[in-house]
Amino acid sequence: MNQLTKSRSPYLLQHAQNPVHWQMWNNETLQKAKQEDKPILVSIGYSACHWCHVMEHESFENEAVAKVMNEYFVCIKVDREERPDVDAIYMEAVQMMGVSGGWPLNVFLTSDAKPFWGGTYFPANQWFDIVQQIGKAYQNQREEVEESANKVTKVLSISTLERYNLKDVSEFDITILEKAFASLEKRFDKEFGGIGEAPKFPMPSYYLFLLRYYDFLNSKSEENNSITNPIKEKILSQVNLTLNKMAQGGMYDQIGGGFARYSVDREWFAPHFEKMLYDNAQLLSLYAEAYTITKNNTQREVYRQTIEQTTKFLTRELQDKNGGFYSALDADSEGKEGKFYTWTIDEIEKVFTNHTFKNSTNPEQDLQLFKKYYSITSIGNWESPHATEGANILYRKDTDEVFANQNDIDLSILKGKVDEWQNYFLEVRKEKVRPSLDDKILTSWNALLIKGFCNAYSALGNENESEKYLALALQTAEFIEGNLFDKENKSKLYHTFKNETAEIDGFLEDYALLIESYITLYQVCFDEKWILRADELTKYVFTNFYDKEEKLFYFSDQLGSEKLVAQKKEIFDNVISSSNSVMATNLYFLGIILENNLYKETSKEMLGKVASLIAAEPRHVSNWASLFTYFLTPTPEIVIVGENYKEVLKEISSFYIPNKIIIAAKSEEEGQKSALPLLEMRPVINNQTTIYVCKNKTCQLPVNSVKEALKQI
């Protein structure tokens, strides 16, 4: 046993019985390294990381390797999901040393936590030699090591704006968007969808930007009817292709719903099987927007089904009994990669032998149809050194329509069979050994899910059972309100919750994503407390995170007690959008909703810092690029007053208006009591639910029909 037994992190607890004398990252451990004058080895990973498990089994469970690690270093294990601040600093340090980033991340630090060397995964024999050599170098060449560490730390301390020589852009121009699109288009995979080569990650912010650029071009076309823009069709075609191929591929769980982390190939076929909450939360939002924008009923059904199945996966496998959602499911089970999700031909044939499906008249024919539908082979369609021999990943090469035509089967009959297959195989799969669950609850990832549920509700508001999405959003928000705020200071957030305990001071990502989710939540339920909470949290962020000099926000609370070797600002968008880009977007919308000029001006100043990057490197600033479209297109302020406000909301939400703001009250009297300035002086006209549309502080005449309001919008 080592010190990690005291942790609540599932990842750290996995290492609690290693012979390595692992410590947790805290002030006491860092002070211990200084007192003993020993260098630090910090090893960073997360519970669902396949190669983290491999390195643990090969090296950290090895007595000989552990002995040399313990001899030379104070060894610290870090869960990157618990401490994204620590991870970000040392990941950047390793990348500065010319090493590609990734996990496991292993970095060697001086006794005062300054990095001087690092890398990712190492085989056991190589790792043994590295640890010995670096340990001896620290003892015998201390001056050189310290000098190297000081140089690295000095560069780490340079601000991102200074390092990349970013200059303020005050005038926002359409050419920036045109260049951003051209840069992305060059990387379109027009056969299998996605942007770039393998491995392929589902980067939702890429496609959300493309959809916003589509809407921007659409608005320009309406202003001038002579404009026909072929780019719009390119955008929709690529987004639809990508979302279809992802939903058909092995990266999507064809039996239980939900997406794996990424695909190792360009066809979305073979995933890294871990399922992360943040991916699935954001993909709910993306598929919801795609559902709203497309007019093709076949496409809409694919997107609706994907949203529904993914939600079922989330509530079935990741939801805590109190309403929050856990972080991840591992890729491995029984020591085999993807074993829970893959099937051998024997397993499949056994199912068809032991069970008669209701929609089946010929079991043997159905077995052959199943094998063809999911691309099953007798020898397995996938090989991996860590997988079961003969494993098949279930994936679909074609849409149901194409498959039905090719196999001379009625589409409705095929869909009935597929539903029955999925339901029964899901039951059979329950008998398998499940992948391990990372059951910590993170504020930031749950906030993404609140937004995802709200977006699903908006898109599917006219569908049966759509209210469940709003109910889930509210339940998750109330869970955070009840469990992840400080009991004394209701504006102070914690980052993680487990075993009835909230801990680790919240990071900017927690505040930014929660504010974003509350802004979204208000606009589907119109409970004013959510927008007022968003404002309270925004004020806290300005007090505790804002840098008045650079006019950006630090990632960590600057009034907190712990100080790392560098104080960072997260600017570049990744799989999760950067906390500064989310915060800038929040300020834009809150600035309009609350008529707060400081918020909107700060948003514009923040965007101006990175605007030049949008044209040059849109993949790294895609969420900023979405915000850029808002500043170039007037934001419709839609106020609904009257008894039928929910029906009006559903009708308006069925149209794609990504930069809109919706405020509502069920009566004129309620509107007058509101703290929201946009509801002032909004009478009900003609005794009917009334819609007000304003843009840039200029209002149209109030109307009583959505059709008339849409013309104004």
Side-chain angles (χ1 to χ4, degrees):
M1 294 291 186
N2 54 51
Q3 196 194 67
L4 301 187
T5 55
K6 301 174 185 176
S7 172
R8 292 184 182 87
S9 159
Y11 174 65
L12 299 190
L13 290 171
Q14 287 170 2
H15 294 76
Q17 297 188 46
N18 293 168
V20 178
H21 297 162
W22 291 119
Q23 311 280 314
M24 290 190 285
W25 182 281
N26 52 40
N27 288 331
E28 291 76 16
T29 303
L30 297 176
Q31 192 60 37
K32 172 184 167 70
K34 286 182 181 179
Q35 289 172 349
E36 296 180 4
D37 196 27
K38 285 181 75 172
I40 297 167
L41 166 56
V42 60
S43 181
I44 305 173
Y46 58 101
S47 69
C49 165
H50 172 71
W51 288 101
C52 298
H53 299 328
V54 173
M55 190 162 180
E56 179 193 8
H57 297 323
E58 291 178 348
S59 295
F60 304 149
E61 293 176 355
N62 184 308
E63 294 281 354
V65 174
K67 184 179 179 182
V68 72
M69 289 172 65
N70 295 333
E71 178 184 350
Y72 287 108
F73 299 96
V74 172
C75 300
I76 303 178
K77 245 308 163 190
V78 171
D79 181 340
R80 69 170 294 264
E81 295 165 358
E82 278 195 336
R83 294 302 304 259
D85 55 338
V86 174
D87 176 59
I89 287 171
Y90 295 118
M91 180 66 75
E92 185 177 348
V94 166
Q95 290 171 333
M96 281 166 45
M97 298 168 194
V99 178
S100 296
W103 299 276
L105 179 67
N106 295 287
V107 191
F108 296 89
L109 320 177
T110 62
S111 57
D112 52 358
K114 295 177 181 177
F116 60 89
W117 198 86
T120 53
Y121 165 78
F122 297 96
N125 57 347
Q126 191 179 352
W127 179 245
F128 182 88
D129 292 340
I130 287 169
V131 170
Q132 272 199 322
Q133 289 168 15
I134 291 180
K136 290 175 180 176
Y138 192 82
Q139 292 175 346
N140 302 325
Q141 299 163 270
R142 178 74 172 268
E143 211 171 288
E144 293 172 40
V145 170
E146 296 275 7
E147 185 180 350
S148 174
N150 287 334
K151 285 180 181 178
V152 172
T153 304
K154 186 177 180 181
V155 177
L156 282 175
S157 300
I158 298 172
S159 78
T160 304
L161 297 182
E162 186 181 345
R163 184 179 306 174
Y164 293 95
N165 196 29
L166 301 181
K167 305 296 183 185
D168 285 351
V169 174
S170 55
E171 295 298 322
F172 297 164
D173 187 84
I174 188 175
T175 57
I176 287 178
L177 291 179
E178 292 170 346
K179 289 175 181 176
F181 173 75
S183 175
L184 288 175
E185 187 190 15
K186 287 177 186 175
R187 301 179 62 83
F188 282 2
D189 182 334
K190 294 179 181 176
E191 184 178 1
F192 294 104
I195 293 174
E197 298 297 321
K200 279 185 178 171
F201 290 79
M203 301 288 288
S205 65
Y206 290 179
Y207 308 105
L208 291 172
F209 161 64
L210 288 174
L211 292 180
R212 278 149 184 69
Y213 187 46
Y214 170 93
D215 182 70
F216 172 80
L217 295 173
N218 220 30
S219 67
K220 294 303 170 190
S221 300
E222 289 170 5
E223 288 173 14
N224 184 345
N225 291 328
S226 65
I227 297 176
T228 55
N229 199 324
I231 291 176
K232 291 194 299 179
E233 291 310 310
K234 287 182 181 178
I235 290 171
L236 276 193
S237 174
Q238 188 65 20
V239 172
N240 286 329
L241 174 65
T242 301
L243 268 58
N244 279 331
K245 289 295 186 183
M246 279 170 49
Q248 290 169 208
M251 198 185 79
Y252 183 70
D253 182 351
Q254 298 294 328
I255 296 300
F259 291 87
R261 180 73 280 274
Y262 65 93
S263 172
V264 300
D265 56 84
R266 65 181 285 240
E267 299 177 33
W268 308 103
F269 160 59
H272 248 297
F273 288 90
E274 62 263 34
K275 284 179 170 179
M276 313 300 294
L277 180 62
Y278 61 80
D279 286 317
N280 287 281
Q282 293 181 98
L283 287 166
L284 283 180
S285 294
L286 177 57
Y287 276 86
E289 290 206 13
Y291 178 94
T292 305
I293 202 169
T294 186
K295 302 307 174 191
N296 182 303
N297 287 332
T298 301
Q299 293 278 20
R300 286 165 73 89
E301 177 56 22
V302 170
Y303 300 157
R304 184 202 64 75
Q305 189 174 21
T306 304
I307 291 168
E308 185 175 305
Q309 288 181 338
T310 299
T311 299
K312 285 180 178 177
F313 152 68
L314 289 164
T315 54
R316 183 181 65 242
E317 300 188 40
L318 292 183
Q319 190 175 26
D320 178 77
K321 66 180 188 300
N322 296 313
F325 285 80
Y326 303 134
S327 296
L329 283 169
D330 206 332
D332 303 355
S333 53
E334 299 183 78
K336 297 289 186 181
E337 185 181 3
K339 185 171 183 181
F340 185 71
Y341 302 102
T342 57
W343 302 81
T344 64
I345 192 67
D346 289 343
E347 288 174 321
I348 292 168
E349 289 177 347
K350 185 178 178 182
V351 170
F352 278 86
T353 301
N354 294 343
H355 181 75
T356 302
F357 292 96
K358 292 177 183 176
N359 289 318
S360 175
T361 54
N362 187 322
E364 181 56 34
Q365 280 185 2
D366 268 17
L367 171 61
Q368 298 309 317
L369 190 70
F370 179 95
K371 287 157 64 174
K372 195 170 185 181
Y373 184 79
Y374 286 119
S375 311
I376 304 299
T377 70
S378 58
I379 60 170
N381 60 22
W382 173 64
E383 289 184 16
S384 167
H386 302 287
T388 304
E389 188 176 345
N392 282 283
I393 296 172
L394 273 56
Y395 79 106
R396 297 178 289 131
K397 294 178 180 177
D398 298 303
T399 64
D400 283 355
E401 287 73 17
V402 171
F403 185 87
N405 287 333
Q406 289 176 344
N407 291 274
D408 195 25
I409 182 173
D410 183 87
L411 181 59
S412 63
I413 292 175
L414 174 65
K415 286 183 179 294
K417 288 180 181 295
V418 170
D419 285 346
E420 202 176 353
W421 292 339
Q422 289 175 339
N423 290 334
Y424 191 73
F425 270 78
L426 190 60
E427 286 299 312
V428 173
R429 198 167 74 179
K430 288 179 181 177
E431 302 303 314
K432 290 189 175 188
V433 176
R434 295 182 57 77
S436 62
L437 171 70
D438 188 319
D439 60 351
K440 68 178 179 291
I441 296 172
L442 297 176
T443 299
S444 52
W445 297 4
N446 275 258
L448 286 170
L449 189 55
I450 294 170
K451 183 170 184 257
F453 286 144
C454 289
N455 294 150
Y457 173 72
S458 292
L460 303 176
N462 295 310
E463 299 280 344
N464 291 333
E465 299 184 6
S466 63
E467 294 294 325
K468 68 185 176 188
Y469 299 108
L470 177 55
L472 284 165
L474 287 165
Q475 185 181 28
T476 311
E478 293 292 0
F479 175 86
I480 291 175
E481 284 289 312
N483 295 284
L484 279 147
F485 280 95
D486 187 89
K487 302 305 179 189
E488 304 297 322
N489 182 352
K490 285 298 287 181
S491 293
K492 180 182 177 181
L493 264 174
Y494 291 104
H495 178 60
T496 183
F497 179 87
K498 187 169 181 254
N499 296 344
E500 304 301 317
T501 303
E503 58 187 352
I504 304 175
D505 287 354
F507 302 104
L508 181 61
E509 69 174 27
D510 297 301
Y511 289 91
L513 292 170
L514 191 60
I515 292 165
E516 177 187 47
S517 74
Y518 284 0
I519 294 170
T520 310
L521 183 56
Y522 167 76
Q523 293 178 89
V524 291
C525 75
F526 304 114
D527 183 341
E528 215 164 275
K529 83 170 185 180
W530 299 115
I531 211 73
L532 297 178
R533 286 293 282 145
D535 189 34
E536 288 170 18
L537 295 174
T538 299
K539 289 172 181 172
Y540 184 92
V541 168
F542 267 104
T543 301
N544 293 59
F545 293 82
Y546 191 52
D547 181 352
K548 293 178 182 177
E549 296 297 319
E550 289 198 340
K551 296 182 178 178
L552 290 166
F553 295 92
Y554 287 104
F555 189 74
S556 299
D557 189 332
Q558 295 303 289
L559 302 182
S561 59
E562 185 178 0
K563 300 299 178 191
L564 303 178
V565 293
Q567 299 302 310
K568 307 303 294 180
K569 299 185 184 81
E570 186 184 48
I571 291 177
F572 296 117
D573 297 323
N574 206 303
V575 176
I576 298 176
S577 298
S578 68
S579 47
N580 266 289
S581 73
V582 175
M583 202 63 220
T585 306
N586 293 340
L587 292 171
Y588 175 84
F589 285 117
L590 277 179
I592 297 172
I593 292 170
L594 301 173
E595 294 186 356
N596 186 318
N597 289 329
L598 171 65
Y599 286 178
K600 198 166 178 187
E601 283 303 311
T602 304
S603 174
K604 188 174 183 181
E605 288 171 344
M606 293 172 73
L607 180 59
K609 305 283 184 187
V610 298
S612 59
L613 283 176
I614 293 172
E617 292 290 347
R619 288 178 301 145
H620 303 301
V621 287
S622 49
N623 194 50
W624 291 104
S626 290
L627 176 59
F628 198 91
T629 66
Y630 303 154
F631 274 96
L632 292 185
T633 311
T635 291
E637 303 160 21
I638 305 164
V639 178
I640 310 166
V641 184
E643 288 291 335
N644 296 325
Y645 71 99
K646 287 185 178 179
E647 288 72 18
V648 171
L649 168 69
K650 287 181 180 180
E651 195 173 345
I652 289 176
S653 297
S654 68
F655 294 88
Y656 189 68
I657 315 167
N659 64 331
K660 69 181 180 296
I661 283 168
I662 299 185
I663 309 289
K666 66 181 178 182
S667 68
E668 188 175 327
E669 292 73 25
E670 187 181 272
Q672 293 310 306
K673 295 175 185 175
S674 169
L676 303 183
L678 292 179
L679 278 168
E680 290 177 10
M681 305 298 291
R682 302 294 191 188
V684 171
I685 307 296
N686 301 326
N687 292 318
Q688 298 177 53
T689 298
T690 304
I691 309 166
Y692 294 83
V693 175
C694 305
K695 292 181 182 179
N696 288 338
K697 300 181 180 180
T698 302
C699 297
Q700 306 294 311
L701 289 172
V703 295
N704 297 118
S705 78
V706 171
K707 185 177 180 181
E708 291 174 289
L710 287 169
K711 286 180 183 177
Q712 296 178 348
I713 293 168

